[in-house]
Amino acid sequence: IVPHGHFSTTMEAIEYLRTEYSEYEIFGMETTDKSINYTTISYKKEEEDVFVLGNEVSGVDTEIMPYLDRLIEIPMFGAKNSLNIAACAPVVLYEVLRQWNTATDEEGN
């Protein structure tokens, strides 16, 4: 079961995670000058990761970005600078699962 909850603001959710689950790494999925390619991150199965996704129009709220551990992005080529949320979430989460499975295969499990 995946723990879940509802918060009035994203900042409330981040504050809760920092207090109750300080070992979690919080990633913001947003295209900025500080974002890094999502494939350069090593996602470990035994670690706890949280992904903050923005809305279709304005993305991740800029006020919460300083409170995130890392900003990650999917590199884009051409005129568009980002994918919509329904496209980017599965791409990044697929990479997380791919890395988990690769690590499991290497361990022989």
Side-chain angles (χ1 to χ4, degrees), residues 15-57:
E15 289 171 347
Y16 173 79
L17 289 168
R18 293 284 181 223
T19 302
E20 299 297 322
Y21 302 96
S22 59
E23 70 278 8
Y24 285 21
E25 186 164 11
I26 305 175
F27 295 95
M29 294 173 54
E30 185 63 61
T31 302
T32 74
D33 59 344
K34 293 182 170 107
S35 299
I36 58 175
N37 185 322
Y38 76 104
T39 62
T40 63
I41 304 292
S42 179
Y43 306 99
K44 306 254 187 303
K45 194 172 190 176
E46 63 278 357
E47 294 177 3
E48 308 291 346
D49 296 328
V50 174
F51 295 90
V52 176
L53 296 88
N55 66 42
E56 298 286 340
V57 177

Short mmCIF file of all heavy atoms in Angstrom, two decimals, residues 15-57:
data_model
loop_
_atom_site.label_atom_id
_atom_site.label_comp_id
_atom_site.label_asym_id
_atom_site.label_seq_id
_atom_site.Cartn_x
_atom_site.Cartn_y
_atom_site.Cartn_z
N GLU A 15 6.11 20.18 3.89
CA GLU A 15 6.42 20.34 5.32
C GLU A 15 6.12 19.05 6.08
O GLU A 15 6.90 18.64 6.95
CB GLU A 15 5.65 21.52 5.91
CG GLU A 15 6.15 22.86 5.42
CD GLU A 15 5.25 24.02 5.81
OE1 GLU A 15 4.10 23.79 6.26
OE2 GLU A 15 5.69 25.17 5.64
N TYR A 16 5.01 18.41 5.76
CA TYR A 16 4.66 17.14 6.39
C TYR A 16 5.72 16.08 6.10
O TYR A 16 6.19 15.37 7.00
CB TYR A 16 3.29 16.67 5.91
CG TYR A 16 2.92 15.29 6.37
CD1 TYR A 16 2.46 15.06 7.66
CD2 TYR A 16 3.06 14.20 5.51
CE1 TYR A 16 2.14 13.79 8.09
CE2 TYR A 16 2.73 12.92 5.94
CZ TYR A 16 2.27 12.72 7.23
OH TYR A 16 1.96 11.45 7.65
N LEU A 17 6.11 15.96 4.83
CA LEU A 17 7.13 14.98 4.46
C LEU A 17 8.45 15.25 5.15
O LEU A 17 9.11 14.33 5.63
CB LEU A 17 7.33 14.98 2.94
CG LEU A 17 6.19 14.40 2.12
CD1 LEU A 17 6.37 14.73 0.65
CD2 LEU A 17 6.09 12.89 2.34
N ARG A 18 8.84 16.51 5.24
CA ARG A 18 10.11 16.86 5.89
C ARG A 18 10.08 16.52 7.38
O ARG A 18 11.09 16.11 7.95
CB ARG A 18 10.41 18.35 5.71
CG ARG A 18 10.70 18.76 4.30
CD ARG A 18 12.10 18.34 3.90
NE ARG A 18 12.38 18.78 2.54
CZ ARG A 18 12.99 18.03 1.66
NH1 ARG A 18 13.39 16.82 1.95
NH2 ARG A 18 13.21 18.48 0.44
N THR A 19 8.91 16.64 8.00
CA THR A 19 8.77 16.36 9.42
C THR A 19 8.64 14.86 9.70
O THR A 19 9.34 14.31 10.55
CB THR A 19 7.54 17.09 9.99
OG1 THR A 19 7.68 18.48 9.75
CG2 THR A 19 7.38 16.84 11.47
N GLU A 20 7.75 14.20 8.97
CA GLU A 20 7.43 12.80 9.24
C GLU A 20 8.31 11.80 8.50
O GLU A 20 8.47 10.67 8.95
CB GLU A 20 5.96 12.54 8.89
CG GLU A 20 4.99 13.37 9.70
CD GLU A 20 5.05 13.07 11.19
OE1 GLU A 20 5.22 11.90 11.58
OE2 GLU A 20 4.94 14.03 11.99
N TYR A 21 8.84 12.20 7.37
CA TYR A 21 9.63 11.29 6.52
C TYR A 21 10.87 12.01 6.02
O TYR A 21 11.09 12.16 4.82
CB TYR A 21 8.80 10.80 5.33
CG TYR A 21 7.54 10.08 5.74
CD1 TYR A 21 6.32 10.74 5.80
CD2 TYR A 21 7.57 8.73 6.08
CE1 TYR A 21 5.15 10.08 6.18
CE2 TYR A 21 6.42 8.06 6.45
CZ TYR A 21 5.22 8.75 6.50
OH TYR A 21 4.07 8.09 6.87
N SER A 22 11.70 12.43 6.92
CA SER A 22 12.85 13.27 6.56
C SER A 22 13.85 12.55 5.65
O SER A 22 14.64 13.19 4.97
CB SER A 22 13.56 13.76 7.82
OG SER A 22 14.00 12.66 8.60
N GLU A 23 13.80 11.23 5.61
CA GLU A 23 14.72 10.49 4.75
C GLU A 23 14.28 10.48 3.28
O GLU A 23 15.05 10.09 2.41
CB GLU A 23 14.88 9.04 5.25
CG GLU A 23 13.66 8.16 5.05
CD GLU A 23 12.56 8.30 6.12
OE1 GLU A 23 12.64 9.21 6.97
OE2 GLU A 23 11.63 7.49 6.10
N TYR A 24 13.07 10.91 2.99
CA TYR A 24 12.59 10.93 1.61
C TYR A 24 13.32 12.00 0.81
O TYR A 24 13.58 13.09 1.32
CB TYR A 24 11.09 11.22 1.56
CG TYR A 24 10.19 10.08 1.95
CD1 TYR A 24 10.63 9.02 2.72
CD2 TYR A 24 8.87 10.08 1.56
CE1 TYR A 24 9.78 7.98 3.08
CE2 TYR A 24 8.01 9.04 1.91
CZ TYR A 24 8.48 8.00 2.66
OH TYR A 24 7.63 6.99 3.02
N GLU A 25 13.61 11.69 -0.45
CA GLU A 25 14.16 12.71 -1.35
C GLU A 25 13.00 13.21 -2.21
O GLU A 25 12.25 12.43 -2.78
CB GLU A 25 15.25 12.13 -2.24
CG GLU A 25 15.93 13.20 -3.06
CD GLU A 25 17.25 12.76 -3.66
OE1 GLU A 25 17.58 11.57 -3.62
OE2 GLU A 25 17.95 13.64 -4.17
N ILE A 26 12.85 14.53 -2.27
CA ILE A 26 11.72 15.13 -2.97
C ILE A 26 12.21 15.75 -4.27
O ILE A 26 13.03 16.67 -4.28
CB ILE A 26 11.01 16.18 -2.10
CG1 ILE A 26 10.58 15.55 -0.77
CG2 ILE A 26 9.81 16.76 -2.85
CD1 ILE A 26 9.97 16.53 0.21
N PHE A 27 11.71 15.21 -5.39
CA PHE A 27 12.04 15.69 -6.72
C PHE A 27 10.90 16.53 -7.28
O PHE A 27 9.74 16.14 -7.17
CB PHE A 27 12.24 14.51 -7.68
CG PHE A 27 13.40 13.63 -7.36
CD1 PHE A 27 13.22 12.47 -6.61
CD2 PHE A 27 14.66 13.92 -7.81
CE1 PHE A 27 14.27 11.63 -6.32
CE2 PHE A 27 15.73 13.08 -7.54
CZ PHE A 27 15.54 11.94 -6.78
N GLY A 28 11.23 17.64 -7.89
CA GLY A 28 10.25 18.41 -8.63
C GLY A 28 10.46 18.15 -10.11
O GLY A 28 11.59 18.20 -10.59
N MET A 29 9.41 17.81 -10.81
CA MET A 29 9.50 17.56 -12.25
C MET A 29 9.11 18.85 -12.98
O MET A 29 7.93 19.16 -13.13
CB MET A 29 8.61 16.39 -12.65
CG MET A 29 9.09 15.08 -12.06
SD MET A 29 7.99 13.66 -12.31
CE MET A 29 7.76 13.67 -14.06
N GLU A 30 10.15 19.60 -13.38
CA GLU A 30 9.91 20.91 -13.99
C GLU A 30 11.11 21.30 -14.84
O GLU A 30 12.25 21.00 -14.49
CB GLU A 30 9.69 21.96 -12.90
CG GLU A 30 9.33 23.33 -13.41
CD GLU A 30 8.01 23.35 -14.16
OE1 GLU A 30 6.97 23.04 -13.57
OE2 GLU A 30 8.04 23.68 -15.36
N THR A 31 10.87 21.98 -15.93
CA THR A 31 11.94 22.47 -16.80
C THR A 31 12.37 23.85 -16.32
O THR A 31 11.59 24.80 -16.38
CB THR A 31 11.46 22.55 -18.27
OG1 THR A 31 11.04 21.25 -18.67
CG2 THR A 31 12.56 23.05 -19.18
N THR A 32 13.59 23.94 -15.79
CA THR A 32 14.15 25.21 -15.34
C THR A 32 15.64 25.22 -15.69
O THR A 32 16.19 24.21 -16.14
CB THR A 32 14.02 25.40 -13.81
OG1 THR A 32 14.97 24.55 -13.16
CG2 THR A 32 12.63 25.11 -13.30
N ASP A 33 16.29 26.33 -15.44
CA ASP A 33 17.73 26.38 -15.69
C ASP A 33 18.51 25.58 -14.65
O ASP A 33 19.70 25.33 -14.82
CB ASP A 33 18.23 27.83 -15.75
CG ASP A 33 17.97 28.60 -14.47
OD1 ASP A 33 17.16 28.16 -13.64
OD2 ASP A 33 18.59 29.67 -14.31
N LYS A 34 17.85 25.16 -13.58
CA LYS A 34 18.50 24.36 -12.53
C LYS A 34 18.15 22.88 -12.61
O LYS A 34 18.65 22.07 -11.84
CB LYS A 34 18.12 24.91 -11.16
CG LYS A 34 18.67 26.29 -10.90
CD LYS A 34 18.30 26.76 -9.52
CE LYS A 34 19.05 28.02 -9.21
NZ LYS A 34 18.35 29.22 -9.19
N SER A 35 17.28 22.51 -13.53
CA SER A 35 16.85 21.12 -13.66
C SER A 35 17.95 20.27 -14.30
O SER A 35 18.73 20.75 -15.12
CB SER A 35 15.59 21.03 -14.52
OG SER A 35 14.53 21.73 -13.92
N ILE A 36 17.96 18.98 -13.90
CA ILE A 36 18.90 18.04 -14.49
C ILE A 36 18.11 16.94 -15.20
O ILE A 36 16.95 16.67 -14.86
CB ILE A 36 19.87 17.46 -13.45
CG1 ILE A 36 19.12 16.76 -12.32
CG2 ILE A 36 20.77 18.53 -12.89
CD1 ILE A 36 20.01 16.07 -11.32
N ASN A 37 18.74 16.31 -16.14
CA ASN A 37 18.12 15.24 -16.91
C ASN A 37 17.71 14.10 -15.97
O ASN A 37 18.53 13.62 -15.18
CB ASN A 37 19.13 14.75 -17.96
CG ASN A 37 18.56 13.73 -18.90
OD1 ASN A 37 17.78 12.86 -18.51
ND2 ASN A 37 18.96 13.81 -20.15
N TYR A 38 16.48 13.67 -16.08
CA TYR A 38 15.95 12.64 -15.18
C TYR A 38 16.70 11.32 -15.28
O TYR A 38 16.69 10.53 -14.35
CB TYR A 38 14.45 12.43 -15.42
CG TYR A 38 14.15 11.62 -16.67
CD1 TYR A 38 13.76 10.30 -16.59
CD2 TYR A 38 14.26 12.18 -17.95
CE1 TYR A 38 13.49 9.55 -17.72
CE2 TYR A 38 13.99 11.45 -19.08
CZ TYR A 38 13.61 10.14 -18.96
OH TYR A 38 13.36 9.41 -20.09
N THR A 39 17.37 11.06 -16.41
CA THR A 39 18.09 9.79 -16.56
C THR A 39 19.44 9.80 -15.87
O THR A 39 20.08 8.75 -15.76
CB THR A 39 18.29 9.44 -18.05
OG1 THR A 39 19.09 10.44 -18.67
CG2 THR A 39 16.96 9.30 -18.77
N THR A 40 19.90 10.95 -15.42
CA THR A 40 21.20 11.02 -14.74
C THR A 40 21.10 10.72 -13.25
O THR A 40 22.13 10.62 -12.58
CB THR A 40 21.86 12.40 -14.94
OG1 THR A 40 21.04 13.40 -14.33
CG2 THR A 40 22.06 12.71 -16.41
N ILE A 41 19.91 10.57 -12.75
CA ILE A 41 19.69 10.26 -11.33
C ILE A 41 19.74 8.75 -11.13
O ILE A 41 19.23 7.99 -11.94
CB ILE A 41 18.30 10.77 -10.87
CG1 ILE A 41 18.13 12.25 -11.14
CG2 ILE A 41 18.04 10.44 -9.41
CD1 ILE A 41 18.98 13.15 -10.34
N SER A 42 20.32 8.33 -10.03
CA SER A 42 20.31 6.92 -9.67
C SER A 42 19.18 6.71 -8.66
O SER A 42 19.28 7.13 -7.51
CB SER A 42 21.66 6.53 -9.05
OG SER A 42 21.65 5.19 -8.67
N TYR A 43 18.10 6.09 -9.11
CA TYR A 43 16.95 5.82 -8.26
C TYR A 43 17.14 4.45 -7.62
O TYR A 43 17.17 3.44 -8.31
CB TYR A 43 15.66 5.86 -9.08
CG TYR A 43 15.46 7.13 -9.86
CD1 TYR A 43 15.77 7.18 -11.22
CD2 TYR A 43 14.98 8.28 -9.26
CE1 TYR A 43 15.59 8.34 -11.96
CE2 TYR A 43 14.81 9.45 -9.99
CZ TYR A 43 15.11 9.47 -11.33
OH TYR A 43 14.94 10.61 -12.06
N LYS A 44 17.25 4.41 -6.33
CA LYS A 44 17.49 3.15 -5.62
C LYS A 44 16.18 2.61 -5.05
O LYS A 44 15.41 3.36 -4.44
CB LYS A 44 18.49 3.37 -4.48
CG LYS A 44 19.79 4.02 -4.92
CD LYS A 44 20.90 3.02 -4.95
CE LYS A 44 22.25 3.59 -5.21
NZ LYS A 44 22.43 4.34 -6.40
N LYS A 45 15.95 1.34 -5.23
CA LYS A 45 14.71 0.72 -4.77
C LYS A 45 14.52 0.84 -3.27
O LYS A 45 13.41 0.99 -2.77
CB LYS A 45 14.69 -0.75 -5.20
CG LYS A 45 13.35 -1.40 -5.08
CD LYS A 45 13.38 -2.78 -5.72
CE LYS A 45 12.00 -3.35 -5.83
NZ LYS A 45 12.00 -4.63 -6.54
N GLU A 46 15.63 0.78 -2.52
CA GLU A 46 15.53 0.82 -1.06
C GLU A 46 15.39 2.24 -0.52
O GLU A 46 15.19 2.42 0.67
CB GLU A 46 16.74 0.13 -0.42
CG GLU A 46 18.08 0.77 -0.72
CD GLU A 46 18.68 0.37 -2.08
OE1 GLU A 46 18.11 -0.46 -2.80
OE2 GLU A 46 19.73 0.92 -2.40
N GLU A 47 15.48 3.24 -1.38
CA GLU A 47 15.31 4.63 -0.93
C GLU A 47 13.90 5.09 -1.23
O GLU A 47 13.21 4.54 -2.07
CB GLU A 47 16.33 5.53 -1.64
CG GLU A 47 17.76 5.22 -1.24
CD GLU A 47 18.78 6.06 -1.99
OE1 GLU A 47 18.40 6.91 -2.80
OE2 GLU A 47 19.97 5.82 -1.77
N GLU A 48 13.50 6.10 -0.52
CA GLU A 48 12.15 6.64 -0.68
C GLU A 48 12.20 7.93 -1.48
O GLU A 48 12.87 8.88 -1.09
CB GLU A 48 11.52 6.92 0.70
CG GLU A 48 11.57 5.75 1.65
CD GLU A 48 10.65 4.60 1.25
OE1 GLU A 48 9.79 4.77 0.39
OE2 GLU A 48 10.83 3.52 1.82
N ASP A 49 11.53 7.95 -2.61
CA ASP A 49 11.51 9.13 -3.46
C ASP A 49 10.08 9.65 -3.60
O ASP A 49 9.13 8.87 -3.65
CB ASP A 49 12.04 8.82 -4.86
CG ASP A 49 13.51 8.41 -4.85
OD1 ASP A 49 14.25 8.91 -3.99
OD2 ASP A 49 13.90 7.61 -5.71
N VAL A 50 9.96 10.97 -3.64
CA VAL A 50 8.68 11.64 -3.84
C VAL A 50 8.82 12.49 -5.09
O VAL A 50 9.84 13.16 -5.28
CB VAL A 50 8.33 12.54 -2.63
CG1 VAL A 50 7.08 13.35 -2.90
CG2 VAL A 50 8.19 11.71 -1.37
N PHE A 51 7.81 12.48 -5.95
CA PHE A 51 7.84 13.28 -7.16
C PHE A 51 6.71 14.30 -7.11
O PHE A 51 5.55 13.94 -6.97
CB PHE A 51 7.70 12.39 -8.40
CG PHE A 51 8.87 11.47 -8.57
CD1 PHE A 51 8.87 10.21 -8.00
CD2 PHE A 51 9.98 11.88 -9.27
CE1 PHE A 51 9.95 9.36 -8.13
CE2 PHE A 51 11.08 11.04 -9.41
CZ PHE A 51 11.06 9.78 -8.84
N VAL A 52 7.08 15.58 -7.23
CA VAL A 52 6.11 16.67 -7.25
C VAL A 52 5.91 17.06 -8.71
O VAL A 52 6.87 17.42 -9.39
CB VAL A 52 6.60 17.88 -6.43
CG1 VAL A 52 5.63 19.04 -6.55
CG2 VAL A 52 6.82 17.49 -4.97
N LEU A 53 4.68 16.99 -9.16
CA LEU A 53 4.34 17.34 -10.53
C LEU A 53 3.44 18.57 -10.50
O LEU A 53 2.57 18.69 -9.64
CB LEU A 53 3.61 16.19 -11.21
CG LEU A 53 4.42 14.91 -11.38
CD1 LEU A 53 4.31 14.03 -10.17
CD2 LEU A 53 3.97 14.18 -12.60
N GLY A 54 3.66 19.46 -11.43
CA GLY A 54 2.86 20.68 -11.48
C GLY A 54 1.58 20.49 -12.27
O GLY A 54 1.26 19.40 -12.73
N ASN A 55 0.88 21.60 -12.45
CA ASN A 55 -0.34 21.52 -13.26
C ASN A 55 -0.01 21.82 -14.72
O ASN A 55 1.10 22.23 -15.06
CB ASN A 55 -1.43 22.43 -12.71
CG ASN A 55 -1.08 23.90 -12.81
OD1 ASN A 55 -0.55 24.37 -13.82
ND2 ASN A 55 -1.36 24.65 -11.77
N GLU A 56 -0.98 21.61 -15.58
CA GLU A 56 -0.76 21.72 -17.03
C GLU A 56 -0.36 23.13 -17.47
O GLU A 56 0.39 23.28 -18.42
CB GLU A 56 -2.04 21.32 -17.77
CG GLU A 56 -2.46 19.89 -17.56
CD GLU A 56 -1.60 18.89 -18.30
OE1 GLU A 56 -0.91 19.27 -19.27
OE2 GLU A 56 -1.60 17.72 -17.90
N VAL A 57 -0.83 24.15 -16.80
CA VAL A 57 -0.60 25.52 -17.25
C VAL A 57 0.69 26.11 -16.69
O VAL A 57 1.56 26.57 -17.43
CB VAL A 57 -1.80 26.43 -16.88
CG1 VAL A 57 -1.54 27.87 -17.28
CG2 VAL A 57 -3.07 25.91 -17.53
#
